[in-house]
Amino acid sequence: MKTFPPKQYRFKFKDSASETMERLKNRTLNSEMNLSTFTDKSMIGTVSDTFFKVNSTLIGIGAFCVMSGQVDSEEGQVSVQVNKVFKGFIYFFYIMPFLAMIPAMFDTETPFSLLFLIGPIVMIAFIRFVFVELAFRFASSEGLKRLSDILQVELIKE
């Protein structure tokens, strides 16, 4: 089981691929850094003739998901995944419960118990399946809405 599985989507163009990618280029702030910022554009990232890697400009959670895709002459595909920077932060929060357990292991007044191991595992599961899952669902749905609005396509989940 992957910790951060990407979502895959396909789409078909209503217009030609070149017109669709031109529309995406016009509505995307060209930047190698995937950071949310105040701008009049809908997306931030890089767009070429057949490839794009963008994220939403929603302040706060827009940079959480990165959408990268390939386009052919008639259809395209997009992959939505958690940004690498946020993956690092999340892995750090996964380690924190175990780091907090270390002083408790060396405390001589309290005997070591199995509950010391169950607590961090439950905390990690809560972080992953509640906080990360909700943030990913919200950020990916908002980003995909903006992307499908720009591309003027309907996304089909694979």
Side-chain angles (χ1 to χ4, degrees):
M1 181 177 109
K2 286 188 170 184
T3 307
F4 302 107
K7 288 185 180 180
Q8 304 288 336
Y9 294 92
R10 290 182 298 114
F11 55 88
K12 292 192 181 228
F13 302 115
K14 293 181 182 175
D15 300 332
S16 69
S18 61
E19 290 177 12
T20 304
M21 292 306 286
E22 191 61 37
R23 228 183 354 262
L24 182 60
K25 282 181 188 178
N26 291 337
R27 302 259 318 258
T28 302
L29 177 65
N30 191 12
S31 173
E32 293 291 327
M33 302 287 289
N34 287 336
L35 302 172
S36 293
T37 184
F38 289 107
T39 180
D40 59 340
K41 307 283 185 172
S42 298
M43 297 284 173
I44 297 174
T46 57
V47 180
S48 69
D49 292 337
T50 60
F51 178 78
F52 62 89
K53 187 173 181 180
V54 295
N55 64 324
S56 177
T57 58
L58 285 171
I59 299 298
I61 200 157
F64 190 75
C65 290
V66 175
M67 295 165 282
S68 56
Q70 292 276 120
V71 295
D72 297 335
S73 59
E74 294 182 16
E75 69 175 28
Q77 60 186 12
V78 63
S79 173
V80 182
Q81 56 192 6
V82 177
N83 195 338
K84 289 180 184 178
V85 173
F86 284 97
K87 282 183 186 179
F89 285 131
I90 293 166
Y91 283 129
F92 176 73
F93 285 117
Y94 284 174
I95 294 171
M96 288 300 292
F98 290 107
L99 292 178
M101 188 177 73
I102 291 173
M105 289 173 55
F106 294 109
D107 185 15
T108 57
E109 295 177 10
T110 309
F112 186 75
S113 172
L114 192 59
L115 291 175
F116 285 140
L117 294 176
I118 293 173
I121 293 170
V122 169
M123 291 173 72
I124 289 171
F126 187 76
I127 291 168
R128 165 60 178 94
F129 293 109
V130 175
F131 289 124
V132 174
E133 186 69 27
L134 289 175
F136 182 73
R137 284 187 186 199
F138 179 73
S140 66
S141 68
E142 289 298 316
L144 285 170
K145 280 182 200 175
R146 286 182 176 213
L147 184 65
S148 62
D149 180 48
I150 293 169
L151 298 177
Q152 295 179 355
V153 296
E154 188 170 323
L155 297 169
I156 304 164
K157 188 168 184 172
E158 290 185 350

